Amino acid sequence: MKKVTITTILGIAALSLASSAVAQVKPEEQIKFRKAAYSFASWNMGKIKANLEGTYDAAQVKAAANAIAAVASSGLGALFSPGTEKSIGEQKTSVKPELFQKGDVVAKMAGDFAAASNELVKAADSGDVAAIKAAHGKVGTTCKSCHDEFKLR
């Protein structure tokens, strides 16, 4: 029999609440939140890159890797609901409308981003700089693939 922990129960409850909470988020707020999340992930990617190219700080790399993985696994797909394919008021979006028509492709890309981010966490935890550099590159590749296909230039 599998043991159910309090963490598992809290995680399931948080996911349930998040699903209903997103339904209450206005489309312009969805655009704002997803842009903020991806900007935060990008900033953390930059911190890791700076550490790999300069003075290495293991704690900073671990924190940045965990932040990226949290963004990648946070369910951002819920912030791409109908009505958010175009800019709304002051909230501008650079997403191509095709993103909303290719759910299977987007889901795979999102899964690849989450998997690569989790590998980055493992590499950061190991302290192996070569492994971190490789994992960082894989995360960057997942970001680029989505941008190449679904971001307006």
Side-chain angles (χ1 to χ4, degrees):
M1 176 184 244
K2 188 174 182 177
K3 183 178 177 183
V4 178
T5 65
I6 188 70
T7 304
T8 303
I9 294 168
L10 291 174
I12 292 168
L15 287 174
S16 298
L17 290 173
S19 297
S20 62
V22 169
Q24 299 171 8
V25 177
K26 295 178 184 176
E28 59 269 31
E29 290 175 326
Q30 290 181 39
I31 295 169
K32 180 174 109 176
F33 296 154
R34 72 187 187 214
K35 287 180 355 185
Y38 289 122
S39 291
F40 183 65
S42 176
W43 176 63
N44 279 285
M45 286 290 286
K47 289 193 317 185
I48 293 171
K49 182 178 180 183
N51 271 274
L52 293 171
E53 294 175 349
T55 303
Y56 183 80
D57 180 334
Q60 190 175 68
V61 170
K62 286 180 186 181
N66 280 301
I68 296 162
V71 167
S73 301
S74 69
L76 283 173
L79 297 175
F80 288 88
S81 65
T84 67
E85 65 278 0
K86 296 180 182 174
S87 298
I88 302 170
E90 292 184 23
Q91 290 304 318
K92 307 299 180 208
T93 184
S94 59
V95 67
K96 289 181 181 177
E98 296 85 60
L99 178 137
F100 296 86
Q101 300 160 359
K102 296 185 176 181
D104 54 337
V105 174
V106 174
K108 180 176 181 335
M109 288 179 165
D112 292 347
F113 177 41
S117 298
N118 288 326
E119 287 301 315
L120 179 58
V121 169
K122 289 178 188 173
D125 286 343
S126 78
D128 179 345
V129 175
I132 295 165
K133 190 171 188 171
H136 181 263
K138 286 181 184 177
V139 173
T141 298
T142 66
C143 294
K144 184 179 181 327
S145 68
C146 192
H147 287 206
D148 288 349
E149 188 158 351
F150 295 117
K151 188 171 183 178
L152 294 170
R153 300 281 172 216

